[in-house]
Amino acid sequence: MASSTKYIFITGGVTSSLGKGIIASSLGKLLQSRGFSVTIQKFDPYLNIDPGTLNPYEHGECYVTDDGAETDLDLGHYERFLNVPTSQSNNITTGRIYNNVITKERKGEFLGKTVQVIPHITDEIKSNFYKLGEEGKYDVVITEIGGCVGDIESLPFIEAVRQARLDLGPNNFLVIHLTLIPYLKAAKELKTKPTQHSVKQLLEAGIQPDILVCRTEHHLPLEVKKKLALFCNVQLNSVIEAMDADTIYDVPLLMKKEKLDERVLSKLKLSSKSNSELEEWKEFLGKLKNPTQETTIGLIGKYVSLPDSYKSIIESFTHAGASIECQVNLKLISSEEINHENYETKLRGLDGILVAPGFGERGFEGKIETVKYAREHGIPFFGICLGMQVAVIEYCRNVLQLEGANSTEMDPYTPNPVIALMEEQKNVDQMGGTMRLGSYACELKKSSKAFAAYGKTKINERHRHRYEFNNHYLEQIENAGMIATGKNPETGLVEIVEIKNHPWFVGVQFHPEYKSTVLSPQPLFVKFIQAAVANKK
Ligand code: GLN
């Protein structure tokens, strides 16, 4: 296979949650800064076709791409670091691989043959490894293999990585193994044995890692590095220390200091095309770490006990806050715990209130109480997806006095379905990948807060929903002071609502958080934080 694209595979050992996604993103950033075009893809070992059908408690947030793929939250990190959009091709699961192979089998593409893990599943995995590289747009494709080496589930992926080395040739192929060096307090010692074992497992599978990236809470003394190099069969200068960082955004600079990018370039026989010193990135970090103002914002949702469920929203606050040197103290509050008796004590002291996306009835009435409080007290309010729908329902119930106003998601028999199932959703009987997904256009009214944020009338944002603003009620709602300030130009679907007589009350049907990156903070988040700061004063 002749290819000018270089492939880097990142595997994980010892435990999960070591931050492969952040290491992949950081390496990608460093390679970008040296003039290479980079994309990162993730291969997940589970059997779901995609994470769209997973509860956020299982797997954190479901991240949505422009092309409407429901993907792993690590793709969010890839975009936030690299500032380049990802797509369906950037996230493949075992479920999708098997689905593709079985579909081919039924079509008779393997007619007469026994269909097996090797070569049929591994061939399918490899063709997906190479897909983005073959587009010709990227100098480097980084592939993160989900899970841990040694997991039964990830075996076919690991086997495919072994085979990929033969396809690609030594200078086009590199394996980085991310591992943990635990510190035993009682013995005051850093232990290398778990890493030795996980590398042995890789070797048994026929893969020699080229570089070890070692997560650690303490600096690795030279002796420890030497031991790792010797037992794991890697060069001493390829044992890279990855100390715990204050923020994930420090990691590119830490990896640069450890010369991870230099090692990678030399092993892939690449020389830098340019060398930017990550000036903008450093400027962002400077602002992030030296805020000149602060504000307290409440994030009200039902999955708050696992903050990963709101990963992109949380990171959007980091990007937007840093851009105006504002420290955002985010308080995650469970909407299930908010009711008509306690809402004031629960919400007091918040300078701004965000009602989060979500599905289903649990915690819904707490969200209604929250919106009412924000609306009546002039507290800056930002509603995202379900949060926007709640804002409409609250307005219809309490301002328009529309009895029992609701979404048909919560009450299919409501007398006033102000939020209702979209027409195109009515015949949908499959759950996965069938919502209104991905990027759609929205046209803004010039007099709106949204226009003040974006500075233009035509925007595109990503979506993930089945229900929509019911346009039968539009005139009534607008006459009462809640204005549809953003609409889809083709369908007229209401994308944004705002309340006229309120300092900052914006509900959006789309998910602005998916497009926020370090280098381009999302404008609505910036304006919302500014409004919260102003409210505090
Ligand atoms: N449950 C709502 C819908 O399907 C909102 C979805 C969301 O918040 N992502 O329309």
Side-chain angles (χ1 to χ4, degrees):
M1 192 179 128
S3 156
S4 57
T5 306
K6 308 283 187 178
Y7 289 85
I8 300 170
F9 293 88
I10 303 190
T11 58
V14 183
T15 110
S16 57
S17 305
L18 288 181
K20 281 196 295 278
I22 302 297
I23 293 295
S25 304
S26 300
L27 174 60
K29 187 79 225 163
L30 294 178
L31 295 175
Q32 247 186 1
S33 80
R34 289 170 174 276
F36 298 103
S37 58
V38 183
T39 189
I40 312 177
Q41 54 187 4
K42 177 149 194 206
F43 282 63
D44 274 313
Y46 52 76
L47 289 176
N48 304 62
I49 301 273
D50 61 44
T53 51
L54 288 171
N55 185 315
Y57 279 139
E58 291 273 323
H59 202 66
E61 163 190 284
C62 172
Y63 185 77
V64 178
T65 56
D66 277 334
D67 65 346
E70 297 181 292
T71 73
D72 185 79
L73 58 74
D74 272 332
L75 273 78
H77 290 309
Y78 307 162
E79 290 203 13
R80 290 188 279 271
F81 277 60
L82 300 187
N83 211 27
V84 178
T86 54
S87 68
Q88 178 63 72
S89 307
N90 294 71
N91 191 198
I92 304 289
T93 67
T94 296
R96 189 174 293 274
I97 296 288
Y98 272 81
N99 200 36
N100 293 351
V101 171
I102 291 168
T103 307
K104 285 183 193 164
E105 188 274 336
R106 292 288 83 182
K107 280 192 191 153
E109 287 187 27
F110 309 112
L111 217 52
K113 292 265 179 280
T114 310
V115 181
Q116 296 184 293
V117 173
I118 305 173
H120 302 100
I121 294 296
T122 46
D123 280 352
E124 182 66 25
I125 295 173
K126 286 194 293 171
S127 81
N128 281 281
F129 279 169
Y130 308 141
K131 205 169 176 183
L132 285 166
E134 283 163 356
E135 285 178 11
K137 284 192 295 199
Y138 303 106
D139 302 316
V140 181
V141 176
I142 301 176
T143 303
E144 178 188 345
I145 305 289
C148 255
V149 170
D151 294 350
I152 290 178
E153 291 194 314
S154 54
L155 279 174
F157 288 142
I158 297 294
E159 165 61 13
V161 173
R162 183 190 72 80
Q163 295 177 18
R165 191 174 66 93
L166 306 173
D167 292 346
L168 298 165
N171 297 336
N172 300 320
F173 169 96
L174 185 84
V175 174
I176 298 176
H177 188 55
L178 177 64
T179 176
L180 175 72
I181 312 294
Y183 179 75
L184 286 193
K185 243 197 211 148
K188 293 200 173 56
E189 253 187 309
L190 285 158
K191 305 306 279 182
T192 64
K193 197 72 87 191
T195 297
Q196 293 180 38
H197 283 303
S198 85
V199 171
K200 274 218 176 80
Q201 269 179 320
L202 267 182
L203 288 167
E204 271 169 28
I207 295 173
Q208 167 66 59
D210 301 279
I211 295 174
L212 286 185
V213 175
C214 306
R215 279 295 302 274
T216 172
E217 290 171 15
H218 297 267
H219 283 295
L220 300 182
L222 185 59
E223 282 317 304
V224 171
K225 284 191 171 183
K226 278 187 177 164
K227 199 167 165 186
L228 285 164
L230 178 67
F231 282 97
C232 301
N233 218 17
V234 296
Q235 289 171 300
L236 181 58
N237 66 10
S238 298
V239 178
I240 304 283
E241 170 188 292
M243 283 278 283
D244 289 358
D246 293 341
T247 141
I248 53 172
Y249 300 110
D250 276 334
V251 179
L253 299 178
L254 292 175
M255 289 301 101
K256 192 176 174 70
K257 222 168 120 200
E258 284 287 308
K259 302 191 165 55
L260 174 63
D261 52 338
E262 280 182 35
R263 293 285 89 81
V264 165
L265 293 186
S266 97
K267 287 182 192 296
L268 291 174
K269 304 271 182 292
L270 281 173
S271 33
S272 294
K273 290 185 180 175
S274 67
N275 205 351
S276 90
E277 276 307 309
L278 295 165
E279 288 315 327
E280 280 175 290
W281 193 272
K282 287 181 191 161
E283 194 184 319
F284 157 78
L285 277 174
K287 287 182 179 173
L288 180 66
K289 291 181 179 184
N290 301 288
T292 53
Q293 47 186 350
E294 71 179 303
T295 186
T296 303
I297 287 174
L299 189 168
I300 286 75
K302 72 170 177 181
Y303 309 110
V304 290
S305 58
L306 184 73
D308 267 2
S309 310
Y310 300 114
K311 192 84 207 161
S312 293
I313 294 180
I314 295 171
E315 297 308 322
S316 299
F317 277 115
T318 306
H319 310 149
S323 75
I324 50 170
E325 296 178 18
C326 182
Q327 176 179 321
V328 178
N329 306 314
L330 205 56
K331 268 186 148 172
L332 272 58
I333 303 173
S334 165
S335 55
E336 280 181 274
E337 285 165 19
I338 299 172
N339 57 46
H340 191 60
E341 274 69 54
N342 69 6
Y343 66 92
E344 272 196 294
T345 33
K346 288 272 177 196
L347 304 170
R348 195 180 297 137
L350 299 174
D351 305 320
I353 289 178
L354 184 147
V355 174
F359 295 84
E361 222 182 337
R362 193 161 54 80
F364 184 75
E365 294 303 324
K367 290 182 176 175
I368 294 272
E369 291 296 344
T370 304
V371 175
K372 181 165 187 277
Y373 175 81
R375 179 177 58 76
E376 290 180 343
H377 292 77
I379 298 169
F381 169 83
F382 195 10
I384 298 182
C385 206
L386 181 63
M388 172 267 200
Q389 298 176 354
V390 178
V392 172
I393 294 164
E394 192 279 328
Y395 207 75
C396 290
R397 284 188 193 175
N398 299 325
V399 179
L400 280 82
Q401 305 295 332
L402 288 177
E403 198 206 316
N406 215 332
S407 162
T408 51
E409 179 181 8
M410 313 304 156
D411 176 6
Y413 306 108
T414 165
N416 284 299
V418 294
I419 302 291
L421 196 62
M422 281 180 278
E423 202 48 48
E424 73 226 43
Q425 288 288 328
K426 290 192 176 149
N427 296 318
V428 167
D429 55 1
Q430 298 241 332
M431 288 302 276
T434 54
M435 284 187 238
R436 179 171 181 252
L437 288 166
S439 184
Y440 285 93
C442 172
E443 209 154 292
L444 305 180
K445 285 202 172 130
K446 280 217 164 126
S447 54
S448 64
K449 299 237 168 36
F451 178 81
Y454 286 94
K456 54 184 180 188
T457 53
K458 284 190 169 57
I459 59 160
N460 280 280
E461 292 284 3
R462 301 181 192 171
H463 297 72
R464 184 171 189 249
H465 64 119
R466 291 190 201 281
Y467 296 83
E468 67 175 328
F469 184 106
N470 184 345
N471 271 321
H472 289 304
Y473 291 89
L474 179 62
E475 208 182 310
Q476 265 186 77
I477 292 175
E478 288 203 321
N479 287 341
M482 176 178 264
I483 312 295
T485 57
K487 284 186 192 169
N488 179 283
E490 274 132 48
T491 60
L493 187 146
V494 173
E495 297 278 13
I496 309 180
V497 295
E498 299 184 17
I499 293 179
K500 265 195 291 190
N501 302 318
H502 189 286
W504 206 90
F505 190 106
V506 178
V508 294
Q509 183 59 74
F510 49 79
H511 289 262
E513 71 274 21
Y514 292 141
K515 278 174 62 170
S516 174
T517 73
V518 166
L519 298 186
S520 69
Q522 213 289 336
L524 290 171
F525 277 87
V526 177
K527 290 290 179 195
F528 174 49
I529 295 170
Q530 280 171 338
V533 171
N535 172 41
K536 185 182 176 183
K537 284 175 186 154

